[in-house]
Amino acid sequence: MLEENKKSMEDFALERVKPEDRKGWVSLAAVQTGLFICVPSLLLGAILSASMPLWQALAAGIIGYLLTILISFFLGMQGADLGIPSAVITCSTFGTKGARILISSLLAISMIGWFGINCNVCGDAFSNLMKIATGLEIPVTISSIIWGVIMLLSAVFGMNALKKLDSVSIPLLVIIMVLGTVMAFRKFGSGGLSVEVEQSMTMIQGIGLSFSFTAVAAVTCSDITRFQKSRKETIKSTFWGILPAAIFTLVLGILMTKVANDYDISSVLATVGLPFLGIIVLILATWTTNSLNAYSAGLDVVMTFNLPDNKRKLATLVTGLVGIVLAVLGILGHIESFLSLLSYVFSAMGGVMMADYWIVGKGKPESWHRVEGFNWTGIISTVIAIAIAAFVVKVDYSGLLWGLIVYLVVEKFIPSKSRELDGTVE
């Protein structure tokens, strides 16, 4: 019976996770770790280390990740309280129509975009590594399509498949990455660590860049934490799932860039004579992250188009295919603009959602309920917070604070319908 319930939960997207289907914090921490051990995380370290002194780069990256963890704590605990994904949680803050038409569509677009970017990264690197290792020239487009389809299939099978994938791949990834770092130092030495860098990015900008890489993951963390058993386990899985992996890949990205002049650990492994290990680490690092992107995108599409709840697998499949098309069209070339937009929008959205549940709703699960139609209090507050962050303060992640403050002010004049407590959790 338990196995049937688990299978059913993989089929259904938006229903509340039953107590018997909740999972231990260690297994879900592994899923979150898989989200952060990836090539884009290495890229972050490379960009920061090329734009500011070593210790500033490290500090900016860690502070940005701590902001992600802070948001994930609160929104993640809400997900564990209610047992529902981010797409459904927003039905209180923004109303059922606002959540479906505005919020879930934005979340779906962002996740599809990330899926396409990772397919692009994987396809390009795989083609290069295969040429180095075997002399075989594979078009980047073909590589992107092949690996995009493979990563998509694990997302279609759902959270149980992702958990199994991460339990095997994460330990292997850590071992290979450490090995690659040691060999890079042996080949290139440590002289690159002392090379001075002309600062082209401020600390505030560096923190913003770090946060922008993970802003969507923070706002959608309840897609994972809805399977947690308690708030305490959510905090443990979030902290231990994110911070060690985030710092690990950040440091590797910085070291690879400084020592080998190449942030990509898979490429460095090829350079030091281990191209096949490079291929393995590239595939696993991208796979663990990108499958979760497609999984979350599928949940948001079910919500956006008001699909029957048992169409989660089909929705995931379609969104992944769209992401693969974007990869073929070269979405990677627009990553900076894409990240900037995500950071402004989702930091403000996260602040508003936190204020709605934890301050207005006093953090009580029994007070949460769907608001029919549009909850204009949440929508107006988010728009104002984005405007302040983008055009007045001009610091993207400040939207988190402005979203929280503006919502509490607007709510005094336009009382949120989420205050109309009915004592139920739908």
Side-chain angles (χ1 to χ4, degrees):
M1 179 63 71
L2 183 58
E3 289 301 316
E4 291 178 1
N5 287 337
K6 288 181 178 179
K7 181 179 179 181
S8 176
M9 183 52 62
E10 297 300 336
D11 288 334
F12 287 78
L14 308 180
E15 288 185 354
R16 188 182 184 192
V17 179
K18 299 175 182 177
E20 60 266 27
D21 292 315
R22 302 296 179 109
K23 306 178 188 300
W25 74 268
V26 174
S27 63
L28 291 179
V31 174
Q32 299 201 64
T33 295
L35 185 62
F36 284 82
I37 296 185
C38 60
V39 176
S41 293
L42 296 169
L43 174 60
L44 171 64
I47 296 174
L48 291 175
S49 63
S51 306
M52 57 178 62
L54 180 63
W55 291 109
Q56 286 189 34
L58 185 60
I62 292 175
I63 293 172
Y65 282 135
L66 288 174
L67 284 174
T68 297
I69 291 174
L70 177 65
I71 298 175
S72 298
F73 275 164
F74 288 99
L75 296 184
M77 286 190 289
Q78 184 179 359
D81 285 351
L82 305 174
I84 52 179
S86 55
V88 180
I89 284 177
T90 58
C91 287
S92 172
T93 311
F94 305 102
T96 53
K97 288 186 178 179
R100 183 170 61 84
I101 298 173
L102 301 176
I103 307 305
S104 292
S105 60
L106 282 172
L107 290 172
I109 290 170
S110 64
M111 286 300 185
I112 292 171
W114 265 120
F115 187 81
I117 286 171
N118 277 283
C119 287
N120 239 171
V121 169
C122 186
D124 183 58
F126 182 75
S127 292
N128 290 334
L129 287 173
M130 286 299 292
K131 185 175 181 179
I132 294 172
T134 66
L136 181 64
E137 294 191 14
I138 303 175
V140 174
T141 298
I142 300 300
S143 294
S144 298
I145 292 173
I146 291 173
W147 286 110
V149 170
I150 292 173
M151 290 182 280
L152 176 57
L153 290 177
S154 57
V156 168
F157 283 107
M159 189 60 66
N160 286 325
L162 296 179
K163 185 181 70 172
K164 291 176 182 177
L165 171 64
D166 289 319
S167 66
V168 174
S169 63
I170 297 303
L172 183 59
L173 273 171
V174 171
I175 292 171
I176 296 176
M177 284 182 165
V178 170
L179 174 64
T181 304
V182 171
M183 296 191 70
F185 271 97
R186 286 183 176 178
K187 182 176 179 63
F188 299 104
S190 59
L193 295 177
S194 59
V195 176
E196 293 187 7
V197 174
E198 182 178 348
Q199 186 151 356
S200 59
M201 183 182 294
T202 66
M203 177 64 75
I204 290 177
Q205 291 173 328
I207 294 171
L209 179 67
S210 175
F211 177 71
S212 69
F213 268 75
T214 56
V216 182
V219 174
T220 60
C221 64
S222 56
D223 292 349
I224 301 172
T225 63
R226 63 186 175 135
F227 290 96
Q228 288 286 195
K229 297 177 181 178
S230 66
R231 290 181 178 182
K232 182 178 180 180
E233 294 216 340
T234 298
I235 291 176
K236 288 194 292 186
S237 70
T238 299
F239 182 84
W240 293 111
I242 294 177
L243 192 60
I247 294 177
F248 176 71
T249 49
L250 174 69
V251 170
L252 283 189
I254 291 174
L255 291 178
M256 291 301 98
T257 302
K258 289 287 189 179
V259 173
N261 197 30
D262 190 343
Y263 71 89
D264 189 344
I265 188 71
S266 58
S267 178
V268 172
L269 283 166
T271 302
V272 299
L274 298 172
F276 287 106
L277 277 184
I279 292 172
I280 291 172
V281 76
L282 162 73
I283 292 170
L284 290 180
T286 310
W287 194 348
T288 55
T289 301
N290 224 19
S291 293
L292 193 55
N293 290 332
Y295 177 79
S296 291
L299 299 180
D300 293 317
V301 165
V302 169
M303 183 77 177
T304 299
F305 294 100
N306 200 25
L307 299 176
D309 215 34
N310 60 356
K311 297 298 182 182
R312 198 271 311 166
K313 288 182 178 179
L314 177 61
T316 302
L317 181 63
V318 173
T319 55
L321 292 175
V322 173
I324 292 172
V325 171
L326 291 176
V328 171
L329 296 176
I331 188 176
L332 184 60
H334 305 282
I335 187 172
E336 291 185 10
S337 299
F338 179 73
L339 288 175
S340 179
L341 174 64
L342 295 186
S343 188
Y344 278 113
V345 171
F346 291 110
S347 59
M349 186 189 304
V352 168
M353 291 172 65
M354 288 165 60
D356 180 58
Y357 185 76
W358 291 100
I359 300 179
V360 172
K362 299 181 179 179
K364 297 179 179 180
E366 63 271 16
S367 296
W368 184 93
H369 61 283
R370 301 170 193 258
V371 173
E372 294 302 321
F374 294 94
N375 188 348
W376 291 108
T377 309
I379 295 172
I380 292 172
S381 298
T382 302
V383 172
I384 294 174
I386 293 172
I388 294 174
F391 302 110
V392 180
V393 182
K394 297 182 179 180
V395 177
D396 46 10
Y397 57 90
S398 70
L400 173 65
L401 177 62
W402 294 118
L404 195 151
I405 293 174
V406 171
Y407 181 83
L408 295 179
V409 173
V410 171
E411 212 272 336
K412 295 294 184 182
F413 297 94
I414 311 174
S416 174
K417 294 179 181 178
S418 61
R419 276 191 181 273
E420 299 170 5
L421 308 182
D422 61 6
T424 63
V425 180
E426 298 180 33

